[in-house]
């Protein structure tokens, strides 16, 4: 197939993610591309600008591994399970070095991706009125409103060099389908100069065509497709496996101790050859406890054109 974009994750990261790149790793609550982040760490890629709504455990890992030199983000959180101590060390105490952060709100991050995808020079946002965030971020600017005569805040476009998302499935051309909670995956994919999609499974074209409304990322926005089952662990994938809440709770004491954090990275990420080896190190029994029972959604009828009955010619 001439437009087959399926490659292994190692190749996709090596091909598209270069030192000094800006990368967006998006997935809101679920479908977080942990496997791709781990592969970046394995390959020793550094000096990245990380763009992410809700920097989380994956962000903590990437910063601790020395992959990230700056961040563009909104709302630091560990899934309500504790603190992100590597990020706190870097941002609050400059330990072992400062971490430059360009902070926005969730809404502003989505608008920045939207502007980047649409080729807009900026986009207005009303919700910064009364907020302190513009005081700490000079890229959030106030401009005259040409209609009311007042003023409006605006934010610039965001065009990452590489966007990476995880999805439930895609065909070999890159038509990727997502269901459950979605965040800014579609906007980020279109805004990215290159887009990598990791998926739980690669499926036949007919599967995608049977339910086209779930195709959130179409093939023309995708440069590489990687089949990576359980590629969002420890986050969850709707319909496949639950969030590993125990892992999220365990991360707090791990990240609080720099030695424990680097030991974890050495064992589970740097010490594994790929995501399959990472899962083996996590343990089959633990992963089995996260599997979900089936609960199919209702079906819809898209309809199809009826074959017209042949007309009967009436001779004069």
């Amino acid at each position: 197939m001439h437009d087959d974009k399926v490659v292994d994750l190692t190749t996709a990261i090596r091909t598209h993610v270069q030192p000094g790149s800006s990368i967006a790793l998006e997935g809101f609550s679920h479908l977080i591309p942990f496997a791709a982040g781990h592969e970046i760490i394995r390959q020793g890629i550094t000096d990245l600008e990380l763009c992410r709504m809700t920097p989380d455990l994956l962000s903590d890992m990437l910063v601790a591994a020395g992959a990230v030199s700056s961040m563009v983000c909104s709302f630091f959180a560990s899934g309500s399970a504790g603190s992100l101590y590597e990020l706190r060390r870097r941002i609050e105490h400059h330990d072992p070095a400062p971490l430059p952060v360009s902070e926005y709100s969730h809404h502003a991050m989505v608008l920045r991706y939207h502007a980047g995808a649409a080729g807009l020079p900026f986009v207005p946002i009303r919700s910064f009125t009364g907020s302190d965030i513009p005081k700490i971020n000079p890229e959030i600017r106030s401009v005259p409103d040409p209609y009311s005569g007042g003023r409006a805040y605006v934010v610039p476009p965001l065009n990452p060099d590489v966007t990476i998302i995880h999805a439930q499935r895609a065909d070999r051309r890159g038509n990727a389908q997502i269901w459950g909670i979605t965040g800014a995956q579609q906007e980020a994919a279109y805004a990215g100069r290159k887009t990598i999609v990791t998926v739980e499974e690669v499926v036949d074209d007919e599967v995608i065509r049977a339910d086209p409304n779930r195709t959130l990322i179409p093939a023309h926005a995708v440069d590489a497709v990687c089949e990576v089952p359980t590629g969002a662990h420890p986050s969850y994938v709707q319909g496949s496996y639950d969030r590993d809440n125990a892992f999220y709770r365990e991360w707090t004491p791990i990240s609080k101790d720099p030695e424990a954090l680097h030991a974890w990275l050495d064992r589970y990420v740097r010490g594994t050859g790929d995501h399959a080896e990472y899962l083996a190190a996590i343990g089959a029994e633990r992963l089995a406890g996260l599997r979900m029972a089936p609960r199919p959604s209702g079906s819809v009828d898209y309809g199809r054109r009826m074959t017209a009955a042949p007309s009967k010619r009436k001779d004069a």
Side-chain angles (χ1 to χ4, degrees):
M1 188 183 297
H2 71 280
D3 50 1
D4 191 326
K5 298 173 185 173
V6 175
V7 296
D8 62 86
L9 181 58
T10 301
T11 299
I13 297 298
R14 182 180 297 120
T15 301
H16 297 295
V17 182
Q18 306 301 321
S21 300
S22 58
I23 61 167
L25 297 173
E26 287 300 346
F28 195 75
S29 177
H30 82 139
L31 294 172
I32 300 171
F34 273 91
H38 290 168
E39 184 57 32
I40 289 171
I41 294 172
R42 280 190 201 96
Q43 294 191 20
I45 302 170
T46 60
D47 196 28
L48 299 173
E49 179 179 68
L50 174 61
C51 309
R52 174 139 175 76
M53 292 171 58
T54 313
D56 55 354
L57 276 63
L58 180 55
S59 308
D60 222 24
M61 294 172 187
L62 286 161
V63 170
V68 172
S69 59
S70 63
M71 296 182 67
V72 179
C73 60
S74 57
F75 189 70
F76 293 82
S78 67
S80 303
S83 197
L84 302 167
Y85 281 99
E86 181 64 25
L87 287 172
R88 293 189 67 170
R89 281 188 291 272
R90 295 291 301 274
I91 295 169
E92 296 176 358
H93 306 292
H94 299 177
D95 177 19
L99 179 66
V101 173
S102 183
E103 186 175 358
Y104 295 86
S105 64
H106 279 344
H107 185 202
M109 285 290 288
V110 175
L111 289 177
R112 289 200 67 194
Y113 285 132
H114 175 77
L120 299 173
F122 57 83
V123 64
I125 177 170
R126 192 177 187 86
S127 58
F128 278 135
T129 302
S131 168
D132 286 335
I133 293 181
K135 297 177 183 178
I136 63 171
N137 188 341
E139 289 193 330
I140 302 169
R141 299 177 185 175
S142 175
V143 299
D145 179 345
Y147 298 101
S148 71
R151 299 191 68 81
Y153 282 107
V154 295
V155 292
L158 181 55
N159 292 103
D161 293 318
V162 186
T163 292
I164 306 174
I165 66 165
H166 191 67
Q168 276 97 339
R169 65 192 181 199
D171 61 23
R172 301 189 70 87
R173 292 178 294 175
N175 292 298
Q177 296 192 331
I178 291 176
W179 54 94
I181 296 173
T182 58
Q185 289 101 316
Q186 186 180 66
E187 293 87 348
Y190 273 108
R193 296 181 176 91
K194 298 287 184 180
T195 296
I196 299 170
V197 178
T198 62
V199 293
E200 292 294 310
E201 60 176 340
V202 174
V203 297
D204 292 336
D205 293 357
E206 290 72 19
V207 175
I208 302 298
R209 291 172 181 165
D211 197 1
N213 279 28
R214 296 196 200 278
T215 305
L216 198 67
I217 316 296
H220 65 262
V222 175
D223 296 279
V225 178
C226 310
E227 189 172 59
V228 190
T230 323
H233 180 270
S235 74
Y236 72 99
V237 169
Q238 189 71 48
S240 296
Y241 47 91
D242 205 352
R243 190 174 85 154
D244 192 339
N245 289 312
F247 186 102
Y248 277 73
R249 290 191 295 271
E250 291 162 7
W251 187 254
T252 296
I254 291 172
S255 68
K256 194 170 187 177
D257 180 352
E259 290 187 8
L261 174 50
H262 284 279
W264 187 91
L265 290 171
D266 287 341
R267 178 181 177 186
Y268 291 98
V269 182
R270 297 189 186 104
T272 57
D274 56 22
H275 189 63
E277 289 189 16
Y278 161 83
L279 294 177
I282 292 295
E285 183 176 352
R286 179 170 191 158
L287 295 172
L290 304 175
R291 295 297 169 186
M292 293 181 174
R295 188 185 179 186
S297 68
S299 62
V300 297
D301 188 349
Y302 283 98
R304 63 186 304 173
R305 189 183 302 275
M306 296 285 289
T307 302
S311 61
K312 295 182 179 180
R313 180 178 176 183
K314 295 182 180 179
D315 294 325

